[in-house]
Amino acid sequence: MLQEESDLSLIIAQIVQKLKGSNLYSQLERQAWASLQRPEIKLESLKEDIKEFFKISGWEKKLQNAVYSELSVFPLPSHPAAPPEHLKEPLVYMRKAQGSWEKRILKSLNSMCTELSIPLARKRPVGEQKELLNKWNEMGTDEPDLSLFRPVYAPKDFLEVLINLRNPNYENGDSLSFRTHLGLIQVPLKVKDIPELKECFVELGLNIGQLGIDDSTQVPPELFENEHVRIGQKVLAEQDSAAAQQYIRQGSPTALRAELWALILNISSQPEDVLYYEQLKTNVIQHDLLVDSLIYKDVKLTASNDDYYFVFEDYLYQVLLCFSRDTSVLSHFAFNSASPPKSYIRGKLGLEEYAVFYPPNGVIPFHGFSMYVAPLCFLYHEPSKLYQIFREMYVRFFFRLHSISSHPSGIVSLCLLFETLLQTYLPQLFYHLREIGAQPLRISFKWMVRAFSGYLATDQLLLLWDRILGYNSLEILAVLAAAVFAFRAVNLMEVTSLAAAENLAAHSEQFCTAPLFPELYRVQIPCTAELRQKEECSLLDSKSHSTEQRS
Amino acid sequence: MSRVLVPCHVKGSVALQLQEITFKNYYTAFLSIRVRQYTSAHTPAKWVTCLRDYCLMPDPHSEEGAQEYVSLFKHQMLCDMARISELRLILRQPSPLWLSFTVEELQIYQQGPKSPSVTFPKWLSHPVPCEQPALLREGLPDPSRVSSEVQQMWALTEMIRASHTSARIGRFDVDGCYDLNLLSYT
C-alpha cells in the first residue's frame, strides 16, 4: 500500500501549497493569533486547543469547504514522469487536434484585425475613459457599429471539427465491424451505458423525490417539498459544501438556490473580492480590446434577443468585459486541453520578456458565449458576486464544452454519450433520422454546447444546472438531450427532413427537465399510461407558461 | 486475439536489483512480466512470471488508459526481484480495433546503493572543552542575547522565504503597455 500512501501525501502537499497562497490562509493565521487571548487556550496543549477553537467557531468548516473545492476542481496529481501537456490532455492526437483548431481561431482573429485595421488592444484616451466610467451601468444603450465584426466561430463550425476527429491508431476502415460508429463522432472514448448512469445518478431515480416533479401543484407539499426545504435550510445553516452538493441533486428550492450555489462553489463575497472586481473594472476602462467588440456583438445577437434575458444586457457586459481581463483564469489552463493565445508587445516580436497573453484571461468568446452568464443574472444582482459565480462555473464546467478533450465531461464524450444512448435504446428512431439525413447530433449539439441555456425555460434550466453542480459532471446534458429525443420519438419517426426534425425538437421550451430523466430509464420498459401522464404534466406547465407570457 | 510476443527483452550483464519500472503505455491492454534470475552455474535458469496480465486498459476497445504513464514497483511483483539477468515484457491487446500497440519511454530503476558510512574528523566527534570567554568591555550588549535575537530574525526570514506564495499579482500588461502585434502562432 506504499503507492496509495505516497499518492495521498502528494495530494495533501499539493492542496496545502495551493491554499497557502489564498485569503483563507491569512485569515486562519489571524484567527489563531487572536485566539491566544482566549482563556481556554492553554500553552501546554496549544495545538489541540486552537484546533478545538477552530472547530467551534466554524473556521474548520471553512477550511473543509476550501479543501473540498480544491479536490472537486483540480485533477489528481499525475505520474511524476508525465509532462504538463499530459495533465491537460493525455491523448496525443486530441492535443494536436485542439492545437490546429486554436490555430484556425487565431488566424481568423488576426485576419479580422488586419481587414478592419483595428488593433488587438489599445489604451483608451482619458476622455473616452471618463465617458465609459459614466455609462458603466448602462452600456447596453450604446449602439456601436458592429456590422463589420463577425463572431470568431459558431458551435456548428466546432461540430465539423469534432466530426473530423480521428485517432491515427484506430481501425477506421470502410468495412462495417461490431464497433462501427453510426453517429457523427468517430473516436472510441469510454462512455457510460444506462446501468452505469443509473448507478451514478441514483438520486434521480423514480422512487426519490425531485423538485420539478414532486413540488407541482397536484402533489401535497407535506409529501416531499416541505421536508426538502427544511433540510436545505439546515444545510445552509451548517455551511457545509459537501452536504450542499449532495442535497442539490434533488433540486434546489428557488429561495435557497443562490446561497446553495455560492456554498457549493465556495464563494463568499469578501471585501477583497469586491476590490478585485473593481480592479478588473479599472482595467476595462483603461484598455480597449478587440475582444470587447466580439462580446458586444454576441450579447446583441443572442441574449438581447431572448425573451428571458434581454433585461440583463447591462449585467452581461459588466461581467464579460471584466472576465476578459482576469488573469486568475489562466490557472485553469493547467487542466484544460486548450492553451491561451500569445502575443508580443508592438515592436518586441520574439522577445520573451514582452510576451503576453491575449486576451488577458486567455479565452476567446464564440457565438453564444454570453448565454453562459445570462441565467445566473436571475440569481445574483450584485455585480462582483455575479462575476465570481460565473468565473467559478466557467473554470469548473463551461470550458469543457468548447475544447477538444477526452475528459468524461468534455464535449466529445458528451456527444458520443448522446449518440450511444440513442443508438442503443432508440435504434429505430436513430436509423430513421440517419436515413433522412438528420443525424441527431446535428440537432442536439447546440443544446449541449450552451448547456441548454436559451433552449429551456429558465426555471427548468436552473433545475438542470442544480444537477450539474450536484454531480460535478456535465454528463447530465447528454442524458437530457437523449431524453428529449425519447420523449418526442413518436413524432420524430414521422418527419422527413432535417428542418422538420429541428423544428419539432426545438419546441423544448415546454419541457419539464425533471420528468425527462426517468423517461430515459423507462425506455427499456415502455409504459404508455405513464408516458401519457407525463405528457399531460408538461402540457399543463406549457399552458401556465404561455398564460404567464401573455399576462 | 493476436498474441504477439513483442521483443521487449532486457539482458543485463550485471545482476539487477529491480526497484521500479516506469513506461508510457500506447494502447496495450494487458502486461505480463517474466524474469530469469542468476543461479549457481550448474542449474539452468528458468523463466518466472512476476506479473500476470496487469490491466492497463479497463476496456480494451476504448481509449481509457491507452496513453497513460504507469509505474510498477517491487512490492507488486509475485516473485523476488533480486539478481535478475533477463527481463521479458509480454504485451497483449485483444481488441482488433487498434492498428498497433506498444510501450514507450521504458525505464527500469535499480535499488540504490546504501549510503556509504562517512568517517568524521576527530575534532568533530571529540570537541575540545570550551575555554572561558574573555571579559568584554562594558557598554557592549550581552553576546548570548544578541546571538539569540539574530537567530530568531534569521528563522523569520527563512520562514518567509519558505512560504512562497504562488498567487498571481494580476497584471497583464508589461510596464503599463498593452499595445500588441498580431497573435502569435507558435
Side-chain angles (χ1 to χ4, degrees):
Chain A
M1 297 299 118
L2 290 168
Q3 186 59 21
E4 283 92 50
E5 276 171 23
S6 63
D7 276 347
L8 187 61
S9 36
L10 193 59
I11 295 172
I12 294 173
Q14 202 168 332
I15 294 182
V16 166
Q17 176 67 22
K18 280 219 86 244
L19 288 179
K20 262 193 172 161
S22 74
N23 205 9
L24 182 64
Y25 182 74
S26 34
Q27 281 180 322
L28 282 171
E29 258 191 329
R30 272 202 297 274
Q31 286 295 319
W33 279 110
S35 76
L36 291 175
Q37 313 281 344
R38 303 173 78 87
E40 60 265 21
I41 310 285
K42 308 251 185 319
L43 197 59
E44 312 83 64
S45 53
L46 189 67
K47 200 167 171 186
E48 279 67 38
D49 288 344
I50 292 189
K51 272 197 210 168
E52 191 59 38
F53 166 69
F54 276 160
K55 205 177 283 191
I56 301 169
S57 56
W59 282 99
E60 192 194 44
K61 193 91 278 175
K62 291 202 173 83
L63 181 61
Q64 272 179 347
N65 289 345
V67 172
Y68 191 70
S69 174
E70 292 297 322
L71 283 172
S72 306
V73 177
F74 276 85
L76 297 171
S78 51
H79 194 273
E85 307 90 71
H86 194 260
L87 188 64
K88 287 162 77 77
E89 170 51 51
L91 301 180
V92 175
Y93 74 91
M94 287 223 175
R95 287 207 293 265
K96 287 208 176 106
Q98 173 66 23
S100 17
W101 168 238
E102 276 172 15
K103 214 167 178 172
R104 270 175 64 183
I105 298 176
L106 298 187
K107 281 202 174 125
S108 170
L109 202 57
N110 273 347
S111 62
M112 199 191 306
C113 203
T114 31
E115 269 170 46
L116 304 178
S117 307
I118 295 177
L120 281 177
R122 67 178 178 102
K123 195 147 183 150
R124 276 189 234 266
V126 179
E128 197 183 315
Q129 288 189 25
K130 281 211 181 91
E131 205 188 311
L132 184 59
L133 189 57
N134 286 338
K135 61 171 173 51
W136 178 259
N137 289 321
E138 31 175 64
M139 281 186 275
T141 53
D142 216 9
E143 293 284 342
D145 180 18
L146 298 169
S147 52
L148 296 170
F149 289 99
R150 51 181 194 279
V152 182
Y153 65 96
K156 62 178 185 325
D157 305 315
F158 189 48
L159 178 59
E160 291 304 318
V161 175
L162 298 185
I163 291 172
N164 291 320
L165 198 57
R166 295 286 183 277
N167 181 345
N169 194 34
Y170 190 66
E171 186 64 67
N172 279 314
D174 291 322
S175 56
L176 288 175
S177 84
F178 71 102
R179 288 298 273 215
T180 303
H181 293 275
L182 294 167
L184 294 174
I185 303 292
Q186 298 289 318
V187 290
L189 294 174
K190 177 92 182 82
V191 290
K192 296 189 169 85
D193 56 7
I194 289 235
E196 285 169 322
L197 287 170
K198 273 194 191 171
E199 206 182 302
C200 184
F201 295 113
V202 71
E203 291 86 355
L204 296 179
L206 287 169
N207 55 332
I208 298 185
Q210 302 291 330
L211 283 184
I213 314 177
D214 301 300
D215 58 337
S216 63
T217 41
Q218 300 101 310
V219 181
E222 302 86 57
L223 279 181
F224 168 69
E225 194 184 351
N226 286 350
E227 182 62 15
H228 192 63
V229 173
R230 198 185 64 80
I231 296 176
Q233 286 160 341
K234 194 158 174 220
V235 166
L236 280 174
E238 289 291 310
Q239 285 289 296
D240 187 329
S241 286
Q245 193 165 324
Q246 179 64 34
Y247 168 78
I248 212 173
R249 291 177 180 188
Q250 290 171 266
S252 162
T254 316
L256 306 179
R257 183 173 280 127
E259 284 183 64
L260 276 170
W261 283 24
L263 180 56
I264 294 172
L265 297 170
N266 201 33
I267 303 243
S268 54
S269 252
Q270 306 284 329
E272 296 86 25
D273 303 312
V274 179
L275 208 61
Y276 189 76
Y277 177 74
E278 291 297 317
Q279 177 66 39
L280 293 175
K281 182 173 156 185
T282 318
N283 290 339
V284 174
I285 293 182
Q286 283 180 345
H287 293 275
D288 179 27
L289 305 181
L290 178 64
V291 166
D292 293 349
S293 309
L294 296 176
I295 291 172
Y296 269 106
K297 180 117 191 172
D298 183 47
V299 173
K300 294 277 185 214
L301 283 179
T302 55
S304 299
N305 284 332
D306 192 301
D307 290 339
Y308 293 107
Y309 304 123
F310 71 91
V311 288
F312 300 122
E313 192 181 338
D314 299 322
Y315 276 122
L316 295 177
Y317 296 125
Q318 289 174 26
V319 166
L320 287 167
L321 293 178
C322 289
F323 182 62
S324 297
R325 271 71 169 177
D326 193 348
T327 51
S328 68
V329 174
L330 290 172
S331 56
H332 93 284
F333 284 107
F335 49 88
N336 182 356
S337 60
S339 299
K342 216 165 99 167
S343 181
Y344 294 91
I345 300 289
R346 203 179 291 278
K348 310 279 184 197
L349 189 63
L351 297 173
E352 279 316 305
E353 315 88 73
Y354 294 94
V356 289
F357 292 120
Y358 181 86
N361 72 344
V363 179
I364 296 185
F366 56 92
H367 178 66
F369 193 84
S370 53
M371 294 304 279
Y372 289 142
V373 191
L376 302 173
C377 298
F378 275 102
L379 298 174
Y380 303 99
H381 306 294
E382 209 263 292
S384 74
K385 187 121 192 225
L386 173 63
Y387 175 75
Q388 278 186 283
I389 297 275
F390 165 65
R391 180 182 59 185
E392 193 61 29
M393 291 284 282
Y394 182 81
V395 301
R396 279 199 198 203
F397 305 113
F398 296 145
F399 76 89
R400 298 201 191 276
L401 295 172
H402 64 94
S403 52
I404 304 175
S405 94
S406 60
H407 194 271
S409 275
I411 189 69
V412 187
S413 301
L414 297 184
C415 292
L416 190 60
L417 176 59
F418 165 75
E419 290 191 319
T420 311
L421 283 175
L422 221 55
Q423 275 180 67
T424 316
Y425 297 101
L426 294 163
Q428 268 191 310
L429 175 65
F430 192 88
Y431 184 75
H432 169 73
L433 288 173
R434 206 166 155 257
E435 287 297 291
I436 63 166
Q439 277 271 11
L441 186 61
R442 287 201 189 276
I443 302 170
S444 65
F445 185 71
K446 50 188 180 297
W447 303 342
M448 292 192 286
V449 164
R450 282 214 209 152
F452 281 85
S453 175
Y455 298 106
L456 281 180
T458 315
D459 56 334
Q460 299 303 313
L461 181 74
L462 293 173
L463 285 169
L464 175 66
W465 286 17
D466 283 341
R467 270 64 174 208
I468 293 180
L469 283 166
Y471 291 102
N472 201 29
S473 151
L474 293 165
E475 287 161 316
I476 202 87
L477 298 177
V479 175
L480 180 62
V484 168
F485 273 73
F487 192 66
R488 284 278 194 242
V490 172
N491 296 355
L492 279 168
M493 282 302 288
E494 292 167 16
V495 298
T496 50
S497 72
L498 173 60
E502 284 239 25
N503 207 27
L504 188 64
H507 286 98
S508 46
E509 296 227 328
Q510 311 158 11
F511 289 149
C512 306
T513 331
L516 284 172
F517 301 139
E519 182 69 42
L520 202 55
Y521 296 173
R522 271 207 312 271
V523 164
Q524 287 174 293
I525 316 154
C527 178
T528 37
E530 279 182 25
L531 272 167
R532 199 167 298 137
Q533 195 185 34
K534 286 286 183 271
E535 190 145 31
E536 278 174 42
C537 164
S538 79
L539 281 172
L540 269 171
D541 276 297
S542 74
K543 279 207 184 101
S544 61
H545 169 70
S546 50
T547 43
E548 271 167 34
Q549 273 194 322
R550 257 181 261 130
S551 63
Chain B
M1 168 174 130
S2 62
R3 197 190 162 128
V4 177
L5 207 70
V6 184
C8 286
H9 206 136
V10 178
K11 221 166 180 153
S13 51
V14 185
L16 199 67
Q17 306 265 65
L18 197 113
Q19 182 71 14
E20 184 184 337
I21 299 178
T22 309
F23 58 88
K24 181 174 188 290
N25 188 17
Y26 190 77
Y27 295 95
T28 305
F30 302 101
L31 175 70
S32 302
I33 301 181
R34 297 178 125 197
V35 293
R36 223 200 274 210
Q37 292 174 313
Y38 275 114
T39 51
S40 52
H42 300 292
T43 53
K46 284 173 71 180
W47 285 102
V48 180
T49 306
C50 59
L51 193 69
R52 195 186 306 272
D53 282 339
Y54 182 76
C55 180
L56 297 170
M57 286 169 64
D59 176 8
H61 297 304
S62 79
E63 300 263 13
E64 206 182 341
Q67 296 192 26
E68 285 301 324
Y69 285 83
V70 182
S71 271
L72 297 167
F73 297 91
K74 192 169 76 167
H75 63 84
Q76 291 171 276
M77 306 293 177
L78 296 168
C79 68
D80 181 28
M81 300 299 276
R83 301 177 50 75
I84 293 172
S85 68
E86 289 174 76
L87 185 79
R88 187 177 268 168
L89 298 166
I90 301 166
L91 312 177
R92 286 203 180 92
Q93 176 48 274
S95 169
L97 298 171
W98 311 109
L99 298 176
S100 74
F101 62 95
T102 180
V103 294
E104 297 168 344
E105 297 173 36
L106 183 65
Q107 288 175 323
I108 301 175
Y109 296 95
Q110 278 207 80
Q111 193 143 36
K114 287 198 176 54
S115 50
S117 57
V118 180
T119 48
F120 288 109
K122 195 153 174 249
W123 57 269
L124 259 183
S125 44
H126 302 290
V128 175
C130 51
E131 301 139 12
Q132 281 286 43
L135 276 170
L136 291 167
R137 270 177 285 162
E138 291 155 12
L140 286 175
D142 178 27
S144 49
R145 227 191 74 199
V146 169
S147 93
S148 78
E149 276 170 9
V150 168
Q151 270 185 20
Q152 275 178 14
M153 275 212 296
W154 175 85
L156 268 174
T157 49
E158 281 299 300
M159 244 174 59
I160 291 173
R161 199 190 308 170
S163 64
H164 167 70
T165 172
S166 53
R168 287 176 175 273
I169 299 172
R171 298 213 63 83
F172 55 82
D173 51 341
V174 178
D175 295 335
C177 175
Y178 198 61
D179 282 330
L180 302 177
N181 270 324
L182 294 176
L183 295 171
S184 162
Y185 297 131
T186 45

